[in-house]
């Protein structure tokens, strides 16, 4: 597998698909949704949102982060930006597949365009993933494969739109050095050892999970 230069980040897991990244005294929050902590975005210098579903996008949590830090900004796709831009002029940025930008000192690349299929009768919405500092990838609700190496893959392990064979094959296709669970609030504790064993033994990457509030260095 190709390698990338090490990036020194601290990752803190929040509930479900929300994470906080810290580097050089700056904080980046991804997907502070309705299942994450109410203060998940408070203290953030920048916020990224992958799509409009409630478990990834919660307007109240984002507003709390923006109001707590008047210099904070948001990068997201149009369906979310349109709901926030009027309240925070000049601080909400619309991005899409192929875009690159700097957010609070983090270099971010955007990959992907559509949410995974939940059911053929349900129209697909837009969804983007974020590759941070050329190292860590948060795919949102899709199994998007970036066109470059990924060191740390944030892995959606349990969702209405996936099954474990797809999750395992996704790890195999991305080929990260490590995979860390996200999108896991719907996964019962009794099932976690099954997922840990199968993803860990078949995925081909170091696999782990964090309890909400726990942190790890990357």
């Amino acid at each position: 597998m190709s390698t990338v230069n090490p990036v020194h980040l601290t990752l803190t897991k929040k509930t479900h698909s929300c994470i906080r990244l810290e580097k050089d005294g700056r904080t980046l929050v991804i997907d502070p949704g309705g299942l994450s902590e109410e203060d998940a975005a408070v203290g953030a210098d920048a916020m990224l949102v992958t799509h409009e579903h409630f478990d990834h996008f919660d307007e109240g949590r984002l507003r709390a982060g923006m109001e707590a830090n008047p210099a904070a900004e948001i990068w997201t796709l149009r369906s979310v930006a349109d709901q926030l831009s009027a309240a925070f002029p000049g601080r909400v940025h619309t991005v899409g597949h192929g875009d690159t930008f700097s957010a609070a000192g983090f270099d971010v690349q955007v990959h992907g365009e559509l949410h995974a299929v939940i059911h053929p009768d349900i129209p697909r919405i837009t969804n983007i993933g974020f590759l941070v500092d050329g190292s860590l990838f948060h795919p949102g609700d899709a199994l998007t494969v970036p066109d470059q190496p990924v060191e740390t893959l944030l892995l959606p392990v349990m969702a209405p739109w996936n099954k474990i064979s797809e999750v395992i094959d996704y790890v195999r296709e991305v080929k990260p050095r490590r995979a860390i669970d996200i999108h896991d609030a719907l996964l019962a504790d009794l099932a976690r050892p099954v997922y840990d064993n199968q993803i860990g033994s078949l995925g081909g990457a170091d696999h782990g999970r964090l309890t909400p509030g726990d942190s790890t260095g990357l």
Side-chain angles (χ1 to χ4, degrees):
M1 183 184 77
S2 300
T3 58
V4 294
N5 293 328
V7 178
H8 299 292
L9 302 172
T10 298
L11 164 68
T12 300
K13 175 75 166 65
K14 309 301 283 185
T15 299
H16 200 50
S17 283
C18 182
I19 63 157
R20 293 173 70 98
L21 296 173
E22 296 176 72
K23 181 184 73 170
D24 299 330
R26 309 294 296 280
T27 299
L28 174 71
V29 173
I30 304 179
D31 279 4
L35 300 181
S36 62
E37 294 76 4
E38 290 191 7
D39 63 350
V42 174
D45 298 290
M47 289 158 266
L48 312 180
V49 181
T50 63
H51 66 288
E52 64 194 89
H53 282 162
F54 84 97
D55 54 330
H56 297 257
F57 161 54
D58 181 84
E59 184 173 346
R61 284 161 172 76
L62 289 167
R63 283 179 175 269
M66 296 288 273
E67 291 165 0
N69 179 2
E73 298 177 78
I74 296 171
W75 284 261
T76 186
L77 37 60
R78 183 166 302 281
S79 60
V80 172
D82 285 349
Q83 300 182 56
L84 296 167
S85 56
F88 303 101
R91 298 170 63 191
V92 180
H93 311 282
T94 301
V95 293
H97 177 69
D99 288 341
T100 61
F101 58 92
S102 179
F106 297 84
D107 293 324
V108 184
Q109 301 175 24
V110 183
H111 295 266
E113 299 179 89
L114 289 173
H115 191 287
V117 174
I118 301 172
H119 187 276
D121 289 352
I122 300 176
R124 294 175 74 181
I125 63 169
T126 49
N127 176 95
I128 53 177
F130 298 106
L131 181 65
V132 180
D133 282 348
S135 174
L136 176 143
F137 185 60
H138 190 309
D141 274 6
L143 301 180
T144 302
V145 179
D147 58 2
Q148 63 187 78
V150 172
E151 184 81 359
T152 301
L153 175 65
L154 300 178
L155 184 65
V157 293
M158 175 59 178
W161 49 267
N162 71 16
K163 57 184 179 180
I164 195 167
S165 63
E166 296 171 335
V167 173
I168 292 166
D169 287 346
Y170 183 49
V171 178
R172 289 179 173 183
E173 189 171 3
V174 176
K175 297 182 176 66
R177 188 170 76 81
R178 68 173 73 84
I180 297 175
D181 290 354
I182 58 169
H183 213 290
D184 54 357
L186 303 180
L187 185 61
D189 287 342
L190 286 172
R192 287 188 178 275
V194 176
Y195 277 68
D196 291 344
N197 178 62
Q198 294 188 357
I199 297 171
S201 63
L202 298 174
D206 291 339
H207 171 252
R209 53 184 168 88
L210 299 171
T211 300
D214 285 352
S215 300
T216 187
L218 304 177

